Amino acid sequence: MDLMEAMSLDAGPSNGFVASGPSASAAAAAEQLADGSLPIFDVERVQLQFSIAADFVAAQVANNVIVLALSNGRILRIDLNKPEDIDDIDLPKKPSDTGVICRMFLDPTASHLVICTSMGDNYYLHSQSHHPRALHKLRGVPIECIAWNPSLPTASTREILFGAADGNIYETYIESNKDRFLQTLKRVTEAPVTGLWVDDMAEKDRRRVMIGTRDCLYHMAGKVGSGSYEGSRSIYAPLFDAEVPVTEEFSLTSTSSVSELVVSPDSPDSDSYENEKGDRAFAWLSAQGVFHGTLVTGPVTPDLGRRVMSASTLLPKTQLVSTTSPAKRRVAPDTIDAIALTQWHIVLLVGGRVVAINRLSGNKVYDQAILDNNQKAIGLTVDQQKNTFWLFTSGEIFEVVVRDEDRDIWKILLDKQQFGSAMKHAHTNIQKDAVSISYGDFLVTKAQFLEAATVWGKSSKPFEEVSLTFIDNAQQDALRKYLLAKLQTFSKSSIMQRMMIATWLVEVFMTKLNSLEDTLVTKAELSADLSQGQTQEQLAIVQSEFQDFINRYKNDLDQKTVYDVVGSHGREEELLYFANSVNDYNYVLSYWVQRQRWQEALQVLKKQTNPDIFYKYSSVLMAHCPRDLVEILMRHPNLKPRRLIPALLEYEHNYKGPLEHNQAVRYLQYVVSKLASTDSAVHNTLVSMYASQPSPDETALQAYLETQQQSEDRPRFDPDFALRLCIQHKRVLSCVHIYTSMGQYPQAVDLALAHGQIDLAALTADRPRENPKLRKKLWLAVARKVISQSSEGIKTAIDFLKRCELLRIEDLIPFFPDFVVIDDFKEEICAALEDYGRSIDNLKREMDESAKTATNIKIDIAALDHRYAIVEPGEKCYVCGLPLLSKQFFVFPCQHAFHSDCLGRKVLEQAGMARSQLISELQVKISKGLVTGRRKEEMVQELDALVASACVLCSDYAIKRIDEPFVTDADNLEKWAL
C-alpha cells in the first residue's frame, strides 16, 4: 500500500502539527505572563495529525522545512508554511538493495538534500525535484558531515566539503543533473571526520575551515581559488595546500563518545542571504566536554586560528552531565548524545534529558527529562535561518522553544566587566542605567575620569555624588564633560535643572579658559604631559566646545547672569560670542560703541535686520563714521528715513565741508530718488540742507525743485517752509521757482525784478500761457523795469519787449520818459496804426457776411410755412392700423402719419412726467369747453405743438425706447417663431 494511503489525516489543525501539553486555558494564562516570568527554554511535544507507516531513522530542518526519513526508505518533506502539502518521495532503489537511510544533510536554505544509506549509496535531491539522483562519484564514500558553501546558492550546491568516516575531506560541486567533480583534499585523521564548517572572512576570496574529529579540532584560514572556475576544479585545494591548521587536541577517554562540531544559527536581526555582520559561536563536543568560543572573522592574520583557540573555553563533561532535576527518571548517564547551539546557550541531549547551559557564564539554565527509557533520539537539529530547534526520536518530534534568550545576557556580561557588550544587550532603561553606573565606577577605579564622566552623565547615579567625586579629585575637565552629558538627559520641561547646570557650565568653562591663558602668558607647563603648543591647541579646543555649548543651550541660560559671570572673568571674546548667539545685538553694539571701536560696531550693524538697532545707534555712528554708516543704511531700503532725521540733522549741524561730500545729503538724495520716498519730512529736511549750505551755488536745490515740479504728483516738500528758508538764506532763484510752482507769478516777477534778474522775470512772466490777461500784466511790470533801466536807448528796450506778442506800443507809451524823441519808436507807432486799419477792414467784412446770413435764414423760415405732404388713399395710422383719413391726423416730414388721438396716447406714454401732465391738462380744458374763443385757439395750438413736436417713431422718443423688447407679452409669439 502506498504510504500516503496509510496516513490518516484527522480534522485537527490545518498545519498537521500541534504541541501537546497544558490545556487551552492554561496556555492562554501562560501567554499573559510577562516575558521575564516564563522560562527561557521549554520542550514541547509536536503531535502529528497523521499516522506513519514506519519509524523515523533520520531528520533535518532548515528554512522552515522538515525532512523525515523513514525506515521503509520513504522521505517526507514538509514545508511548515504549508504543512497540509506533504511531499512523499521514494529512493530510486528499494531498502533491500541500497540499505536503510542512516544520515541526511540539508543545506540552510532547504534547497539541497544529501541522503546516505547504510550500504554506502549517496543520493542528491533538489527542493524542486521529487526524484533523488544517485551521486555516482560519491559511491562508497561514508559521509559523516558536510560544510555547505557560504554563499548559500539555490540552483546548485557550488563547492562544498564532505567529511568522511575514513578521515578524508572531499570537495565536490553538485548540480541537479550531474556532479561536476570530486577531489580529495586532505586526510586529517585515521578516525572519522565528525564536523565541518566553512565561512567567509572579512577579506575577499578568504575563507575559514573548521574540522572536528573525536579528539582534535582544526582551524584553517586562507585564500581559496577563484570563483570563476564554475565547478571545473577545486577552489579549496590552494587553502589546504598552503595553510597549516591550528590544532586543539584533547585525549580520547572513550571510543564510544560522541563528537560533533556545531555553529550558532543566524542572528534574528541579520539577513541570512547576505554577508554575516556578526561573529558566530562554535561548539565542539568531545570526550572531555564541550570546547566553545567565537569565530571572529577579522582581521585575517596568521595568528587568527591561535586567537580563536586561545579565547575558547572548555566546559568539562562532568559539569555537563550532572543533573539538577529533583525528579530523575533514571540514573544520569555519563554520555552526551547530541549538541546544538542557540545564540547564547549550548543545548545538550544527555540520555533522555535536555540540558541548556549559558555559554558566557557556564551556568545550567535548563535540565529537564524529556525521553522515556525506551526512547532513543535520532537527532537534535537546528534551523540555521529561522532559529528553531528540534529533537527527533524514532516516533516523535519535539520542539525546543526558546523565549527571550538574551534577557540576562547583559547581567552576565556586566559581571565579566564587558561593559560595551552589556550595554548592547541591555533592553530596558533600568538595565542600561545599571550598566552605565557600574561602568562609570569601574572607570573611576582606573582613574579614567573623562571616560567616566560621559558614562555617568547618561546614568541615574546621584548628581551630587558624581560632582563631588570629580571635585575631590580635581578633575575639572571631567566635571565639565559630565555636566554637558547630564544636561542632555534633562527634558525641556526641567527648566530649573537645565538652567542651573548650564549656568554652572559657563563658570567651569571660564575657569578653564583663564587657566589655559594664564599658563600661556606665564609660559609655564600646565602639566607634565602638555607643552606650550599643546596647551595652545587645548585652548582652541575648549573655546570651540564653549561655542558649541552656547549654540546648543543658549535658551537654557539667563542672559544677565551669563553677562555677569563671563564679564567677571574678563572674557571679552566669549562675552560677545554669547551676545551674538542670543541675538542681543544691542549689547554687542553698545559694547563696541562704549569702547569707540567704530569698525567693529559697523561690522555688527551690517548683519542686522531689526530697524530699531539702526535708529538707536545712527546718531553716534553718523558722527564718527558717516560714510560707512550711509553705505550700510543704503543697503536697507526697509528703514524709515523719518526715524533717522535727528541723526542726519545733528551731523549736518557739525558738518563744514562741501555739499558734494555731505553724507546726510547723500543719504536723503538716495531716499528721494531711488526709494521714491513721499514723506514730506524727508523732503523738507533735504530742502533745508540745500538752502542752508554755505556755498552760494543753487544748482543742487534748483535741480531738486525742478524734479519735483516735473513729477506727476504734487511736490512732496512744504512750499511755504521752503520759501521761508530760501528767503532766509537769500536763494533768489529758488524763491522765484517756488513762487512759480505755487502759481504766484506776480510775486515771482516782483522778486526777480527786485534783485535785478530781468531775464528770470521775463521767463517767469511768460509762464501763464493759459491766462493772457495775467501774462500781459506781468510783462508790463517787466516792461516798466526794462524801460526804466535801459541804458542803451528806447529802441533796445522795445526790441527786448517784442518777446511777448501781447504788448502793444500804446501799452508802453506811459512808461516812456516825458522828453523822449518820437523818432525812437516812430516805426512801431506806424506798424500799430496799420494793424488797427487792417483790423477795422476785417470787422467790416465780417459784418457784411453776417447780414447776408441773416437774410438767408429769413427766406428759409418763410419757406417752411408752405411745406406739404401727400397722403395716399388707403394709408393707415402707424399706431392703430386703421385708415388714416377716418379721423383727424398728423403727417410728419418723415412720412409717418398718426391719428391725433393715437399720437397723443403715444406721446403721453413716452413723455416725461411734467410734459405728460401739461398735455393732459390741455386736453381736459379743451374737451370740456373750459376755455373759448382766442384762448381756446391758443391752447389748441399749444397742444398740437406739444403732441406733434416730433415723430414718435424716429425722433428722440424712439431713442429713449431702445431698451424696450421687440416682443411683449401682448404680442402673438407664434408670429415670431422661426
Side-chain angles (χ1 to χ4, degrees):
M1 177 183 292
D2 187 77
L3 180 62
M4 292 302 292
E5 297 177 359
M7 293 182 180
S8 58
L9 298 173
D10 69 17
S14 62
N15 61 2
F17 298 92
V18 62
S20 64
S23 64
S25 60
E31 291 178 0
Q32 295 176 358
L33 294 175
D35 290 341
S37 64
L38 294 175
I40 296 177
F41 288 92
D42 191 16
V43 179
E44 297 180 354
R45 179 181 285 105
V46 178
Q47 183 177 352
L48 300 178
Q49 298 302 304
F50 53 84
S51 61
I52 55 176
D55 292 338
F56 301 145
V57 293
Q60 287 288 309
V61 183
N63 199 21
N64 244 13
V65 174
I66 294 180
V67 180
L68 299 172
L70 306 182
S71 59
N72 58 6
R74 298 278 183 161
I75 297 174
L76 304 181
R77 185 165 57 193
I78 306 170
D79 186 349
L80 296 181
N81 294 322
K82 297 183 295 183
E84 65 277 5
D85 298 333
I86 301 176
D87 294 336
D88 184 11
I89 300 169
D90 288 328
L91 289 179
K93 297 181 180 180
K94 296 180 179 180
S96 57
D97 298 331
T98 189
V100 179
I101 298 174
C102 59
R103 290 184 185 85
M104 291 192 301
F105 303 96
L106 184 64
D107 83 305
T109 66
S111 300
H112 312 286
L113 178 67
V114 174
I115 307 160
C116 305
T117 65
S118 57
M119 292 184 179
D121 290 336
N122 297 312
Y123 297 92
Y124 169 76
L125 177 66
H126 193 271
S127 60
Q128 302 299 321
S129 174
H130 291 74
H131 305 286
R133 179 177 62 81
L135 298 173
H136 299 292
K137 292 184 179 180
L138 289 172
R139 169 71 178 161
V141 176
I143 301 175
E144 292 286 333
C145 54
I146 293 180
W148 299 100
N149 195 294
S151 61
L152 302 181
T154 57
S156 67
T157 63
R158 297 186 66 84
E159 297 81 9
I160 57 176
L161 300 181
F162 288 101
D166 57 6
N168 285 316
I169 295 177
Y170 300 91
E171 179 182 0
T172 187
Y173 189 120
I174 302 175
E175 291 180 339
S176 58
N177 56 351
K178 66 176 180 177
D179 313 336
R180 288 288 190 92
F181 67 88
L182 178 68
Q183 180 172 341
T184 304
L185 296 176
K186 189 171 186 177
R187 184 181 183 89
V188 294
T189 179
E190 298 294 335
V193 177
T194 59
L196 273 177
W197 171 258
V198 173
D199 61 354
D200 287 322
M201 306 301 292
E203 299 180 15
K204 186 180 179 181
D205 294 334
R206 289 184 178 272
R207 290 184 181 176
R208 179 212 330 266
V209 178
M210 294 283 288
I211 306 169
T213 64
R214 290 183 177 179
D215 59 348
C216 198
L217 179 66
Y218 301 90
H219 181 285
M220 302 173 63
K223 191 172 184 179
V224 297
S226 173
S228 61
Y229 298 157
E230 290 297 333
S232 60
R233 55 178 175 168
S234 169
I235 66 169
Y236 288 100
L239 186 149
F240 278 84
D241 293 341
E243 301 296 331
V244 177
V246 177
T247 306
E248 190 72 29
E249 188 172 359
F250 294 101
S251 61
L252 187 62
T253 59
S254 173
T255 57
S256 62
S257 61
V258 177
S259 176
E260 192 174 356
L261 175 64
V262 293
V263 179
S264 61
D266 298 341
S267 172
D269 300 329
S270 66
D271 187 349
S272 62
Y273 288 94
E274 296 185 1
N275 294 332
E276 296 294 335
K277 299 295 188 297
D279 296 333
R280 294 178 183 267
F282 76 93
W284 173 47
L285 175 62
S286 67
Q288 298 294 331
V290 175
F291 185 70
H292 67 94
T294 302
L295 295 175
V296 294
T297 56
V300 184
T301 57
D303 65 337
L304 176 63
R306 183 56 53 197
R307 284 192 284 120
V308 171
M309 296 298 187
S310 61
S312 301
T313 306
L314 175 67
L315 292 176
K317 181 179 179 181
T318 56
Q319 176 183 345
L320 302 175
V321 300
S322 63
T323 180
T324 59
S325 175
K328 297 183 291 183
R329 298 186 181 181
R330 58 182 179 178
V331 178
D334 60 353
T335 60
I336 302 174
D337 298 327
I339 184 174
L341 274 184
T342 67
Q343 294 297 325
W344 297 105
H345 294 82
I346 302 172
V347 180
L348 303 170
L349 182 62
V350 182
R353 296 171 17 239
V354 174
V355 179
I357 297 175
N358 189 286
R359 288 194 293 107
L360 300 180
S361 64
N363 295 329
K364 190 177 295 184
V365 298
Y366 183 79
D367 187 351
Q368 185 67 40
I370 303 299
L371 305 181
D372 296 330
N373 293 336
N374 58 351
Q375 286 183 304
K376 179 170 180 60
I378 63 172
L380 183 61
T381 306
V382 179
D383 188 335
Q384 290 278 347
Q385 293 190 355
K386 302 302 180 181
N387 264 269
T388 57
F389 310 92
W390 305 83
L391 173 62
F392 296 91
T393 67
S394 59
E396 289 186 304
I397 301 175
F398 298 87
E399 182 178 2
V400 181
V401 180
V402 183
R403 303 184 186 92
D404 194 18
E405 183 184 4
D406 61 345
R407 69 176 68 165
D408 296 325
I409 297 302
W410 70 275
K411 191 181 301 181
I412 298 171
L413 294 170
L414 185 61
D415 294 339
K416 292 177 173 292
Q417 295 185 342
Q418 298 179 14
F419 300 104
S421 299
M423 182 62 72
K424 179 181 178 181
H425 293 91
H427 299 307
T428 66
N429 292 333
I430 296 176
Q431 294 173 0
K432 293 178 181 179
D433 185 59
V435 175
S436 297
I437 293 175
S438 299
Y439 188 27
D441 295 341
F442 172 78
L443 291 172
V444 168
T445 61
K446 300 295 183 181
Q448 299 178 8
F449 294 100
L450 290 176
E451 292 81 356
T454 302
V455 176
W456 270 345
K458 300 177 181 178
S459 72
S460 63
K461 192 175 181 69
F463 179 81
E464 301 82 358
E465 182 180 346
V466 176
S467 301
L468 289 174
T469 300
F470 292 136
I471 294 173
D472 293 342
N473 289 276
Q475 295 294 325
Q476 292 298 315
D477 291 343
L479 176 62
R480 184 178 76 252
K481 197 169 185 179
Y482 170 72
L483 293 176
L484 285 170
K486 198 65 180 176
L487 190 56
Q488 298 178 12
T489 62
F490 287 106
S491 64
K492 293 293 184 181
S493 60
S494 304
I495 300 174
M496 184 60 68
Q497 293 88 336
R498 293 176 68 89
M499 182 174 291
M500 292 178 63
I501 294 178
T503 305
W504 189 5
L505 273 167
V506 173
E507 176 67 31
V508 172
F509 270 112
M510 295 303 102
T511 303
K512 180 64 176 179
L513 291 171
N514 283 339
S515 174
L516 292 172
E517 286 194 349
D518 291 344
T519 301
L520 291 173
V521 171
T522 58
K523 298 183 179 179
E525 295 291 334
L526 182 64
S527 67
D529 299 329
L530 295 179
S531 63
Q532 283 285 314
Q534 292 171 331
T535 303
Q536 184 68 46
E537 292 178 3
Q538 189 174 8
L539 175 62
I541 293 173
V542 176
Q543 286 176 332
S544 177
E545 289 180 1
F546 174 76
Q547 293 175 2
D548 293 339
F549 162 73
I550 292 297
N551 292 334
R552 187 169 184 177
Y553 300 106
K554 57 188 175 184
N555 295 330
D556 298 315
L557 293 167
D558 178 68
Q559 294 185 16
K560 185 178 183 303
T561 304
V562 174
Y563 289 149
D564 293 341
V565 172
V566 180
S568 66
H569 287 270
R571 303 296 306 179
E572 177 182 284
E573 183 178 347
E574 285 72 26
L575 190 68
L576 294 176
Y577 188 87
F578 173 74
N580 280 297
S581 298
V582 297
N583 298 327
D584 190 1
Y585 299 113
N586 274 324
Y587 183 90
V588 179
L589 279 169
S590 176
Y591 183 89
W592 291 125
V593 168
Q594 288 175 5
R595 287 155 180 77
Q596 297 186 359
R597 303 272 291 274
W598 311 117
Q599 290 304 316
E600 288 82 351
L602 289 172
Q603 290 300 322
V604 176
L605 193 64
K606 286 180 180 179
K607 303 175 183 178
Q608 305 314 307
T609 57
N610 184 7
D612 293 334
I613 300 292
F614 294 90
Y615 306 147
K616 182 175 181 179
Y617 293 96
S618 59
S619 296
V620 64
L621 294 176
M622 196 70 189
H624 294 89
C625 44
R627 177 177 290 276
D628 294 334
L629 177 61
V630 169
E631 289 288 345
I632 297 174
L633 295 178
M634 291 169 63
R635 290 199 290 268
H636 292 80
N638 59 324
L639 295 176
K640 295 181 179 179
R642 176 187 286 262
R643 301 282 299 275
L644 297 170
I645 288 177
L648 300 176
L649 290 176
E650 184 177 354
Y651 166 80
E652 170 70 16
H653 179 72
N654 298 317
Y655 181 71
K656 304 299 180 183
L659 182 66
E660 58 269 17
H661 295 157
N662 189 315
Q663 298 303 313
V665 173
R666 176 186 171 208
Y667 178 69
L668 292 176
Q669 287 176 337
Y670 165 78
V671 172
V672 170
S673 60
K674 299 297 183 181
L675 302 183
S677 174
T678 59
D679 191 344
S680 59
V682 173
H683 288 265
N684 290 337
T685 303
L686 180 58
V687 170
S688 69
M689 292 182 181
Y690 279 140
S692 62
Q693 61 154 330
S695 173
D697 186 12
E698 298 184 46
T699 304
L701 180 56
Q702 284 284 95
Y704 167 78
L705 295 175
E706 187 68 28
T707 302
Q708 290 297 303
Q709 186 175 1
Q710 293 176 357
S711 65
E712 296 181 359
D713 299 330
R714 62 179 179 83
R716 297 299 178 181
F717 64 91
D718 184 354
D720 294 331
F721 171 75
L723 186 60
R724 287 196 302 272
L725 282 176
C726 292
I727 293 174
Q728 178 184 350
H729 294 283
K730 298 180 180 180
R731 306 295 181 182
V732 178
L733 297 179
S734 300
C735 286
V736 172
H737 195 288
I738 295 173
Y739 273 131
T740 303
S741 63
M742 296 171 64
Q744 299 180 8
Y745 297 104
Q747 292 86 338
V749 172
D750 291 344
L751 182 62
L753 294 177
H755 289 80
Q757 300 287 342
I758 304 298
D759 290 335
L760 179 59
L763 291 174
T764 305
D766 211 34
R767 286 184 178 275
R769 292 276 181 177
E770 70 283 354
N771 191 347
K773 183 177 179 181
L774 175 59
R775 184 177 170 216
K776 182 176 181 180
K777 179 181 177 182
L778 297 176
W779 270 102
L780 287 175
V782 174
R784 182 190 297 273
K785 188 69 173 181
V786 170
I787 293 173
S788 63
Q789 292 184 353
S790 178
S791 59
E792 298 180 0
I794 298 301
K795 182 68 175 176
T796 303
I798 292 176
D799 291 339
F800 175 80
L801 296 174
K802 287 181 178 179
R803 293 165 56 180
C804 179
E805 73 282 358
L806 300 178
L807 295 181
R808 302 296 181 185
I809 190 63
E810 61 270 24
D811 298 328
L812 303 178
I813 290 176
F815 304 143
F816 292 156
D818 294 338
F819 302 101
V820 66
V821 181
I822 197 172
D823 291 341
D824 294 335
F825 51 92
K826 180 178 61 176
E827 295 180 359
E828 285 73 12
I829 292 175
C830 293
L833 293 174
E834 291 176 357
D835 288 339
Y836 287 139
R838 284 193 294 271
S839 297
I840 292 172
D841 293 339
N842 290 333
L843 289 174
K844 288 180 178 180
R845 186 166 53 256
E846 291 175 359
M847 291 173 65
D848 293 341
E849 292 178 355
S850 297
K852 292 179 180 180
T853 302
T855 302
N856 293 332
I857 291 173
K858 290 179 180 180
I859 295 172
D860 292 337
I861 292 173
L864 290 175
D865 295 337
H866 301 285
R867 287 186 302 170
Y868 65 93
I870 299 174
V871 177
E872 297 291 340
E875 190 167 348
K876 298 179 181 180
C877 174
Y878 275 84
V879 174
C880 65
L882 297 176
L884 187 64
L885 299 177
S886 61
K887 49 174 93 170
Q888 187 180 357
F889 62 89
F890 289 96
V891 179
F892 293 93
C894 58
Q895 295 302 314
H896 290 143
F898 308 92
H899 291 137
S900 59
D901 54 349
C902 294
L903 180 62
R905 288 195 303 271
K906 282 292 183 181
V907 171
L908 286 175
E909 292 175 1
Q910 301 177 20
M913 183 179 296
R915 189 171 184 178
S916 299
Q917 186 175 1
L918 179 58
I919 293 173
S920 299
E921 291 177 356
L922 293 174
Q923 287 177 341
V924 171
K925 289 179 180 181
I926 294 172
S927 62
K928 291 185 178 182
L930 298 178
V931 292
T932 57
R934 186 175 182 84
R935 179 57 180 160
K936 181 179 181 181
E937 294 178 359
E938 292 177 353
M939 283 188 176
V940 171
Q941 292 179 355
E942 184 178 359
L943 179 60
D944 292 343
L946 290 174
V947 173
S949 62
C951 176
V952 294
L953 296 181
C954 57
S955 64
D956 292 342
Y957 291 112
I959 296 175
K960 293 177 181 178
R961 296 177 59 195
I962 193 170
D963 57 342
E964 293 183 5
F966 287 110
V967 184
T968 63
D969 296 337
D971 294 329
N972 187 358
L973 300 180
E974 295 180 357
K975 293 181 178 180
W976 290 88
L978 298 178

